[in-house]
């Protein structure tokens, strides 16, 4: 018989008998879990499946048919002697050798003798003997003829073992079997049978925890089946594998430019980089370093792709070109789609690409618990992007050549991050530059090597070595840093600092108009900035009547409002109904949205000379005017097309005021004077409403008090102030002939309350 010996490491279980430190067998129980144990159980399961026995749900007791067959073959006699047991084994298990029978019969006899000493009678001993013989035949016949061989048979038992099961396992152990007991609920049940642990040893390893609740030999079996299926899924394995970053010295530019052939002497490896660089080391040299990097990559004929800001999403045509089926599981889906990647180069590189594609998606499925449909969508994205860039990356590439993919800006989506992980498994150096650090890159990967500099640097695009590069001096960057400190959340604003603005109509007292009129917007109530958008407090009001019927003072007061930013309208109507845009207005609007590209490319577009952000500002407010339905008839009788034609044909003088408008400073203004009974035209109403949204102060002077302004508005957007007596048939004077000295007393003459 063989004695129990102790292991030094789990892999000792797989040593042949003559290679163990001492000739003996292992009998261990495992009551805890870690990843090392998980891997060992899988390997031991495979070993027991090929040359051993796996017991998942106890050893079934012999049934009536088992016992009847035993009695028919062996008879009913029983004697307490090793010779009797040996003789019966030769008939019951004829494949056993004489030496194997001798060991087993002696072991059974010793076990029965111990039971007799514990008080068991002859009938109990016979029942125990028959049970053991049946178990040996029906459960362990496949291994009894391997007992004592150099390749030790394995038994794997799951659950809490019973007394007679433990007795039989102990017999098989000393006869030449390795045995592992998996006890998910702990060791207490076992110790009730073998309190001194004489029959087996308890495994003790660092970092052991309780078994996961869903752990079982069934899950181990499924994992093995899946692994085997995955082996078929991958097909022929590539001859070379990636060695990512392990060879690098950490000097990123040196590593990227190191000739691929010198990165490793092992022909079975291709060595690539997977870097992310946040911030810059030196603002003065950063752009030159990028230009040098690009120049060297080109000089060395490295296949290179550089993407600025983000990877454009696949187009509908690219997506529809990836043919898909109805898949029942991820393995079938990946097997099908991996064959549609579209690479037709050398077979080894094709195997590398296939393996990288499958590995990347299996990792995503495991780490994020993706549904099959979402996993398929990500797979389609990878195929679309790979098809798009493969020609530039892999054309004529032969290992150990390494291509280079540079994303100049952070990964903004999970799909971008997944694509870069995929590329990093190919013979491609993958580098992410995030110099501005204003947005965090969403890519996370254990292999990624990250360098973090403390200095942010705002630059939109990777500088092209064939173009002129603008590099700032130390003084320039110092000024920019000071500029950042001064103009962020400080209440001070540099010229044209903000590109977007939204109007806020101020509700004021009559007297406040004079105070607010010539103020910069940043000093007005409710002014604020959020991100790059300015909230502009503007005046949109109507003043009816003439204070104390003092006509001279009335006109002097209006004259004092005329600032360099003010446009005065004296003749009604202001806008002529016919304009060059009107025939094309219907072409510029579809499904409730302005067709901006079509507008800006049209021959009748008049605002192309304006600053880019101002053009967008005007178009934004045209869309807003339509969306809010401020003008009666919008989306009812085609008024939206009138809005577009009027808004795109404003007079040059008005457009110039918009062009020089700085959203935080003094805003442009309109004074609209209507002394007659004429109702303001639809076109004038559209223009005034649009200018208010753009950020103009709009002030209507209506001495008659008539309802001339409000007729074309859906909402009560104009605040009306009653200034005094209604006067009629007034004529607007030539303001050049009115003394400007009245400017200082305008509040007294126009806005001062009566005593």
């Amino acid at each position: 018989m063989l004695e129990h010996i102790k292991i030094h490491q789990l892999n000792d279980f797989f040593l042949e008998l003559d290679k163990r430190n001492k000739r003996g067998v292992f009998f261990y129980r495992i009551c805890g879990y870690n990843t090392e144990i998980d891997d060992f159980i899988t390997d031991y399961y495979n070993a027991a499946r090929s040359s051993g026995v796996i017991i998942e749900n106890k050893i079934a007791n012999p049934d009536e048919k088992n016992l009847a067959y035993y009695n028919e073959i062996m008879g009913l006699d029983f004697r307490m002697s090793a010779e009797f047991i040996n003789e019966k084994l030769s008939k019951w298990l004829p494949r056993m050798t004489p030496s194997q029978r001798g060991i087993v019969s002696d072991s059974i006899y010793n076990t029965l003798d111990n039971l007799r000493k514990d008080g068991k009678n002859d009938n109990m001993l016979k029942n125990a003997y028959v049970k053991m013989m049946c178990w040996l035949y029906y459960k362990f016949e496949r291994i009894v003829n391997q007992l004592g061989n150099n390749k030790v048979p394995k038994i794997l038992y799951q659950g809490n073992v019973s007394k007679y099961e433990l007795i039989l396992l102990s017999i098989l152990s000393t006869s030449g079997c390795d045995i592992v007991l998996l006890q998910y609920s702990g060791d207490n049940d076992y110790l009730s049978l073998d309190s001194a642990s004489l029959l087996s040893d308890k495994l003790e390893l660092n970092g052991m925890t309780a078994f996961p609740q869903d752990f079982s030999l069934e899950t181990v079996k499924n994992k093995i089946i899946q692994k085997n299926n995955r082996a078929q899924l991958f097909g022929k394995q590539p001859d070379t594998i990636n060695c990512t970053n392990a060879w690098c010295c950490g000097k990123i530019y040196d590593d990227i430019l190191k000739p691929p052939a010198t990165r490793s002497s092992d022909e079975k490896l291709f060595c690539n980089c997977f870097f992310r660089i946040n911030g810059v080391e030196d603002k003065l040299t950063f752009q030159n370093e990028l230009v040098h990097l690009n120049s060297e990559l080109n000089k060395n004929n490295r296949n290179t792709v550089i993407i600025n800001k983000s990877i454009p999403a696949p187009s509908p045509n690219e997506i529809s070109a990836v043919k898909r089926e109805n898949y029942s599981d991820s393995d079938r889906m990946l097997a099908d789609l991996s064959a549609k990647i579209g690479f037709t180069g050398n077979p080894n590189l094709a195997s590398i690409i296939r393996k990288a594609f499958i590995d990347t998606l299996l990792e995503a499925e495991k780490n994020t618990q993706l549904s099959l449909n979402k996993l398929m969508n990500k797979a389609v994205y990878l195929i679309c992007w790979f098809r798009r860039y493969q020609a530039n990356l892999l054309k004529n590439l032969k290992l150990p050549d390494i291509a280079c993919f540079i994303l100049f800006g952070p990964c903004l989506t999970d799909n971008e991050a997944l694509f870069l992980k995929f590329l990093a498994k190919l013979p491609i150096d993958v580098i992410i530059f995030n110099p501005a650090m204003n947005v965090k890159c969403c890519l996370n990967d254990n292999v990624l090597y990250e360098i973090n500099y403390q200095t942010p640097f705002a630059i939109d695009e990777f500088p092209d070595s064939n173009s002129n590069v603008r590099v700032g001096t130390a003084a320039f960057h110092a000024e920019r840093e000071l500029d950042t400190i001064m103009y962020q959340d400080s209440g001070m604003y540099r010229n044209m600092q903000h590109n977007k603005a939204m109007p806020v109509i101020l509700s004021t007292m009559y007297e406040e108009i004079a105070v607010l009129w010539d103020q910069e917007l940043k000093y007005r109530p409710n002014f604020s900035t959020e991100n790059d958008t300015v909230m502009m407090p503007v005046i949109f009001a109507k003043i009816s009547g003439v204070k104390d019927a003092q006509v001279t003072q009335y006109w002097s007061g209006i004259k004092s409002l005329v600032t360099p930013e003010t446009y005065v309208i004296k003749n009604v109507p202001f806008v002529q109904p016919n304009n060059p845009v009107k025939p094309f207005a219907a072409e510029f609007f579809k499904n409730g949205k302005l067709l901006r590209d079509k507008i800006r490319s049209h021959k009748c577009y008049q605002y192309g000379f304006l600053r880019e952000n101002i053009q967008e500002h005007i178009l934004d407010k045209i869309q807003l005017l339509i969306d809010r339905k401020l003008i009666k008839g919008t989306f009812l009788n085609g008024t939206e097309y009138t809005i577009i034609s009027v808004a795109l044909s404003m007079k040059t003088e008005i457009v110039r005021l918009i062009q020089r408008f700085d959203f935080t400073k003094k805003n442009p203004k309109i004074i609209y004077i209507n002394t007659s009974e004429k109702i303001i035209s639809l076109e004038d109403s559209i223009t005034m409403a649009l200018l208010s949204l753009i950020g103009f102060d709009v002030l209507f002077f209506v001495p008659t008090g008539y309802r001339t302004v409000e007729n074309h508005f859906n909402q009560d957007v104009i605040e009306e102030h009653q200034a005094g007596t209604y006067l009629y048939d007034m004529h607007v004077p030539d303001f050049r002939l009115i003394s400007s000295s009245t400017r200082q007393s305008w509040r007294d003459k126009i806005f001062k309350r009566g005593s």
Side-chain angles (χ1 to χ4, degrees):
M1 289 187 290
L2 296 171
E3 66 173 301
H4 291 155
I5 60 175
K6 296 185 182 297
I7 62 171
H8 297 290
Q9 57 184 4
L10 285 172
N11 282 339
D12 289 350
F13 269 96
F14 306 110
L15 294 175
E16 293 182 345
L17 196 60
D18 60 4
K19 293 182 179 177
R20 297 181 178 182
N21 292 333
K22 187 176 180 181
R23 188 175 175 82
V25 291
F26 306 119
F27 189 174
Y28 272 82
R29 57 191 190 274
I30 302 177
C31 307
Y33 175 87
N34 60 26
T35 54
E36 183 183 3
I37 290 172
D38 188 290
D39 293 338
F40 165 74
I41 292 173
T42 301
D43 294 338
Y44 195 85
Y45 183 98
N46 279 324
R49 188 174 57 173
S50 64
S51 59
V53 174
I54 299 170
I55 303 165
E56 296 188 46
N57 297 300
K58 291 191 167 293
I59 307 172
N61 284 323
D63 59 22
E64 292 182 3
K65 290 182 179 180
N66 299 149
L67 294 172
Y69 180 72
Y70 175 81
N71 291 335
E72 179 184 344
I73 301 299
M74 304 296 292
L76 298 175
D77 55 329
F78 169 71
R79 291 197 309 273
M80 264 293 294
S81 73
E83 292 77 10
F84 171 82
I85 297 171
N86 191 309
E87 180 187 346
K88 292 297 183 180
L89 282 173
S90 65
K91 185 177 181 180
W92 185 236
L93 295 166
R95 292 203 301 159
M96 292 178 69
T97 66
S99 62
Q100 290 168 341
R101 285 198 303 273
I103 294 171
V104 173
S105 60
D106 287 346
S107 186
I108 292 175
Y109 174 79
N110 291 335
T111 300
L112 293 173
D113 190 48
N114 289 331
L115 291 173
R116 182 173 58 183
K117 292 175 182 177
D118 288 341
K120 300 294 189 289
N121 59 37
D122 289 345
N123 190 54
M124 291 178 177
L125 295 177
K126 179 182 177 180
N127 289 339
Y129 160 76
V130 172
K131 177 181 282 192
M132 290 180 200
M133 294 293 277
C134 287
W135 276 350
L136 287 172
Y137 181 83
Y138 289 109
K139 192 66 180 177
F140 297 100
E141 194 276 337
R142 66 174 298 204
I143 64 168
V144 290
N145 66 324
Q146 302 176 41
L147 297 173
N149 289 352
N150 197 36
K151 184 178 181 181
V152 182
K154 314 292 184 193
I155 296 175
L156 179 60
Y157 184 103
Q158 169 181 264
N160 294 320
V161 68
S162 68
K163 176 181 178 179
Y164 282 96
E165 286 176 324
L166 180 58
I167 288 172
L168 181 64
L169 292 175
S170 181
I171 291 170
L172 290 169
S173 173
T174 56
S175 299
C177 278
D178 288 333
I179 300 177
V180 169
L181 303 180
L182 299 179
Q183 301 183 150
Y184 305 141
S185 59
D187 207 26
N188 290 337
D189 287 338
Y190 177 88
L191 292 176
S192 68
L193 303 175
D194 179 21
S195 59
S197 291
L198 297 176
L199 301 180
S200 68
D201 298 301
K202 182 180 179 182
L203 180 67
E204 301 285 357
L205 293 178
N206 293 330
M208 293 176 66
T209 60
F211 276 95
Q213 287 190 344
D214 60 348
F215 188 91
S216 68
L217 290 182
E218 184 68 23
T219 62
V220 172
K221 179 171 62 178
N222 291 337
K223 184 170 69 173
I224 293 171
I225 292 171
Q226 185 182 52
K227 184 177 180 181
N228 293 334
N229 291 340
R230 293 266 161 92
Q232 297 178 2
L233 170 64
F234 284 107
K236 183 182 181 299
Q237 293 295 299
D239 298 330
T240 47
I241 60 174
N242 60 307
C243 174
T244 303
N245 291 346
W247 57 274
C248 296
C249 69
K251 297 180 179 179
I252 58 169
Y253 295 110
D254 292 345
D255 289 333
I256 296 167
L257 295 176
K258 186 171 184 178
T262 66
R263 295 180 178 184
S264 173
S265 58
D266 190 341
E267 294 182 355
K268 294 184 178 180
L269 299 177
F270 63 84
C271 298
N272 66 331
C273 307
F274 192 15
F275 294 160
R276 178 167 60 212
I277 303 98
N278 297 311
V280 300
E281 185 175 18
D282 189 333
K283 289 182 177 181
L284 295 179
T285 61
F286 178 64
Q287 289 177 276
N288 281 339
E289 288 170 342
L290 297 182
V291 171
H292 175 72
L293 172 63
N294 196 11
S295 176
E296 289 297 307
L297 290 171
N298 291 332
K299 186 169 71 175
N300 295 326
N301 296 317
R302 294 272 300 276
N303 294 348
T304 303
V305 169
I306 300 173
I307 304 295
N308 289 305
K309 297 182 180 178
S310 63
I311 306 173
S315 67
N317 288 338
E318 288 177 312
I319 292 174
S320 63
V322 182
K323 303 302 180 185
R324 285 145 281 173
E325 309 293 340
N326 292 322
Y327 306 110
S328 58
D329 57 60
S330 58
D331 284 1
R332 289 182 175 83
M333 184 263 290
L334 294 177
D336 180 56
L337 292 181
S338 63
K340 298 177 179 178
I341 292 174
F343 181 76
T344 57
N346 70 73
N348 184 44
L349 186 52
S351 296
I352 293 171
I353 294 167
R354 178 185 175 90
K355 184 177 186 304
F357 176 80
I358 295 171
D359 279 342
T360 302
L361 290 162
L362 289 178
E363 289 170 12
E365 180 185 35
K366 178 181 177 181
N367 295 335
T368 58
Q369 302 296 312
L370 289 171
S371 67
L372 182 61
N373 189 57
K374 288 182 179 179
L375 186 68
M376 182 177 67
N377 291 339
K378 290 186 178 298
V380 170
Y381 261 63
L382 295 195
I383 293 172
C384 291
W385 278 331
F386 181 76
R387 288 178 175 180
R388 183 192 297 172
Y389 299 117
Q390 67 162 312
N392 290 330
L393 286 171
L394 302 179
K395 184 178 181 181
N396 300 324
L397 187 140
K398 296 178 181 178
L399 294 176
D401 292 347
I402 301 291
C404 186
F405 185 94
I406 295 173
L407 177 62
F408 199 70
C411 287
L412 301 177
T413 67
D414 291 339
N415 287 332
E416 280 185 307
L418 198 67
F419 182 60
L420 265 60
K421 289 182 180 183
F422 166 53
L423 293 183
K425 292 178 171 64
L426 305 179
I428 299 172
D429 287 339
V430 178
I431 303 100
I432 305 167
F433 286 99
N434 186 18
M437 294 194 297
N438 55 342
V439 177
K440 185 177 180 180
C441 179
C442 69
L443 187 150
N444 292 298
D445 194 281
N446 292 333
V447 180
L448 180 69
Y449 180 69
E450 186 165 30
I451 297 175
N452 294 295
Y453 295 116
Q454 299 303 311
T455 306
F457 184 65
I459 175 174
D460 292 332
E461 296 186 351
F462 193 99
D464 188 344
S465 57
N466 295 321
S467 63
N468 293 325
V469 178
R470 184 171 60 190
V471 180
T473 64
F476 171 82
H477 290 297
E479 181 192 28
R480 282 296 181 190
E481 290 176 1
L482 180 61
D483 185 74
T484 300
I485 295 171
M486 289 181 63
Y487 299 120
Q488 284 190 358
D489 302 321
S490 65
M492 295 189 293
Y493 305 93
R494 63 174 179 269
N495 291 335
M496 307 299 180
Q497 179 174 339
H498 295 280
N499 291 320
K500 296 181 179 181
M502 285 294 294
V504 178
I505 304 297
L506 283 175
S507 293
T508 68
M509 295 181 62
Y510 173 54
E511 292 81 2
E512 287 182 294
I513 294 176
V515 177
L516 298 171
W517 184 259
D518 204 29
Q519 277 188 352
E520 293 186 2
L521 292 176
K522 63 185 177 184
Y523 297 127
R524 289 183 177 181
N526 299 306
F527 173 87
S528 66
T529 58
E530 298 178 9
N531 298 323
D532 192 37
T533 301
V534 178
M535 305 306 292
M536 307 176 295
V538 298
I539 296 169
F540 195 30
K542 170 186 175 183
I543 299 174
S544 297
V546 177
K547 181 173 176 55
D548 299 331
Q550 298 294 317
V551 174
T552 301
Q553 292 180 353
Y554 180 74
W555 295 124
S556 297
I558 294 175
K559 168 66 181 292
S560 67
L561 290 173
V562 180
T563 68
E565 296 83 22
T566 304
Y567 188 90
V568 180
I569 298 172
K570 298 186 288 185
N571 298 313
V572 179
F574 170 63
V575 178
Q576 299 304 312
N578 296 319
N579 63 69
V581 181
K582 190 172 184 178
F584 310 106
E587 302 175 22
F588 297 155
F589 194 70
K590 185 177 181 180
N591 297 327
K593 298 296 179 183
L594 291 176
L595 304 178
R596 300 190 183 207
D597 291 341
K598 193 164 190 176
I599 291 172
R600 297 181 68 164
S601 63
H602 200 276
K603 63 181 180 180
C604 74
Y605 182 60
Q606 302 176 20
Y607 304 151
F609 58 87
L610 297 177
R611 288 182 286 128
E612 185 73 24
N613 70 298
I614 287 296
Q615 293 185 55
E616 285 300 309
H617 184 64
I618 293 173
L619 294 174
D620 285 344
K621 298 310 176 265
I622 297 173
Q623 183 71 60
L624 184 61
L625 179 59
I626 295 172
D627 290 344
R628 288 187 178 178
K629 300 179 184 178
L630 294 180
I631 305 299
K632 289 180 180 178
T634 303
F635 295 122
L636 293 177
N637 57 17
T639 301
E640 60 270 20
Y641 300 112
T642 305
I643 292 172
I644 293 169
S645 64
V646 170
L648 293 176
S649 58
M650 291 186 288
K651 290 187 177 182
T652 302
E653 296 86 348
I654 301 295
V655 174
R656 287 175 178 172
L657 287 174
I658 300 173
Q659 162 69 7
R660 63 174 181 259
F661 181 22
D662 187 333
F663 299 144
T664 64
K665 296 183 171 59
K666 291 183 179 181
N667 58 329
K669 306 168 193 307
I670 294 289
I671 293 177
Y672 193 115
I673 305 172
N674 184 11
T675 61
S676 68
E677 289 79 10
K678 291 182 180 179
I679 295 175
I680 293 177
S681 68
L682 171 62
E683 291 77 11
D684 282 14
S685 297
I686 291 170
T687 302
M688 297 305 112
L690 175 63
L691 293 179
S692 176
L693 293 176
I694 287 172
F696 279 61
D697 286 335
V698 179
L699 199 54
F700 294 90
F701 282 93
V702 184
T704 61
Y706 288 148
R707 183 180 171 84
T708 62
V709 176
E710 302 88 345
N711 280 8
H712 295 291
F713 292 111
N714 267 328
Q715 304 170 25
D716 189 16
V717 295
I718 299 178
E719 186 175 34
E720 184 174 10
H721 299 282
Q722 298 295 332
T725 306
Y726 296 151
L727 298 181
Y728 309 98
D729 300 321
M730 294 177 62
H731 296 282
V732 182
D734 184 346
F735 286 108
R736 292 174 298 178
L737 303 178
I738 297 177
S739 172
S740 60
S741 62
T742 58
R743 181 180 180 88
Q744 301 301 319
S745 59
W746 112 272
R747 268 203 299 172
D748 292 335
K749 297 177 179 178
I750 298 293
F751 289 102
K752 188 175 180 181
R753 288 184 183 274
S755 55

